[in-house]
Amino acid sequence: SQKIEQNSEALNIQEGKTATLTCNYTNYSPAYLQWYRQDPGRGPVFLLLIRENEKEKRKERLKVTFDTTLKQSLFHITASQPEDSATYLCALDGGSARQLTFGSGTQLTVLP
Amino acid sequence: NAGVTQTPKFRVLKTGQSMTLLCAQDMNHEYMYWYRQDPGMGLRLIHYSVGEGTTAKGEVPDGYNVSRLKKQNFLLGLESAAPSQTSVYFCASSTGQAVLGANVLTFGAGSRLTVL
């Protein structure tokens, strides 16, 4: 069965640095890979997605890469701020299946 | 615009009791989903619906039932609650169409259920 792993449960970085979160998957060929942000006590919120034929996608301070050969996506937050502290979830989207498979998330803490 | 609204937000049950979680969306979305979220397990799909009057099983459907009698509402029922069903439940919805070419979900705020 398909498996999705986010490289670490928690990541602490200093304000102003770039945070890099990893999402690896096996036994699947997603058409898209999505990233969500989840704050404590709230539901996930969609941030951005990348298609299988795209190498990189940017949105303001966010950047996502997608390597279908390595079966890996990297999520970068540049010039990180304490307000970026949250749990970030990646999700595999088959495109036609209409179901998403979520990773367990990485809790990011940006220290002032 | 309310988006996706879940009720109740918190509930404590005793083993064997039944209850229903209600999800309502005002975005005219076709697809609706129920997930549960447990520490270290990520979001796991319980049941989903691709339209009014239809439901389908997800990854962890045992012990749950659902109904989608109206397009805007998706109900999750527990007929006989067990401690293993202690979790945070999230409802989500999507257009079900190729918006952005992918299935982007809008989530509710969650319902925290404790079964004693």
Side-chain angles (χ1 to χ4, degrees), chain B residues 22 34 46 59 70 101 116:
Chain B
L22 171 63
W34 276 106
I46 304 172
E59 180 186 356
K70 293 183 179 181
L116 303 176

Side-chain angles (χ1 to χ4, degrees), chain A residues 31-72:
Chain A
Y32 311 93
L33 197 142
Q34 301 185 25
W35 285 89
Y36 290 74
R37 168 181 174 144
Q38 186 174 21
D39 291 288
R42 293 175 175 264
V45 175
F46 171 75
L47 293 176
L48 72 171
L49 66 87
I50 187 166
R51 295 175 175 77
E52 62 178 340
N53 60 353
E54 295 178 319
K55 295 297 184 185
E56 182 180 298
K57 199 76 170 285
R58 292 176 183 264
K59 178 182 177 182
E60 298 173 349
R61 295 185 295 110
L62 307 180
K63 184 179 82 171
V64 173
T65 63
F66 195 10
D67 189 325
T68 55
T69 300
L70 292 178
K71 295 188 181 296
Q72 180 182 80

Side-chain angles (χ1 to χ4, degrees), chain B residues 2-45:
Chain B
V4 178
T5 303
Q6 293 182 227
T7 53
K9 290 185 174 15
F10 302 95
R11 184 73 186 268
V12 178
L13 289 177
K14 294 182 179 179
T15 297
Q17 287 185 319
S18 63
M19 75 156 296
T20 300
L21 297 177
L22 171 63
C23 177
Q25 53 95 3
D26 61 1
M27 298 171 287
N28 200 34
H29 282 175
E30 285 294 330
Y31 288 17
M32 296 187 74
Y33 308 82
W34 276 106
Y35 286 88
R36 61 178 289 173
Q37 187 175 42
D38 302 290
M41 301 289 288
L43 287 161
R44 292 183 292 169
L45 182 65

Side-chain angles (χ1 to χ4, degrees), chain A residues 9 31-32 34 36 38 41-46 49 51 89 93 95 97-105, chain B residues 31 33 35 37 40-43 45 48 57-58 90 96-98 100-105 107-110:
Chain A
E9 288 190 3
Y32 311 93
Q34 301 185 25
Y36 290 74
Q38 186 174 21
R42 293 175 175 264
V45 175
F46 171 75
L49 66 87
R51 295 175 175 77
L89 309 172
D93 181 350
R98 298 304 171 209
Q99 296 182 36
L100 296 186
T101 301
F102 284 86
S104 56
Chain B
Y31 288 17
Y33 308 82
Y35 286 88
Q37 187 175 42
M41 301 289 288
L43 287 161
L45 182 65
Y48 66 102
K57 295 180 180 180
F90 287 99
Q97 300 171 7
L100 301 178
N103 190 24
V104 175
L105 301 189
F107 283 86

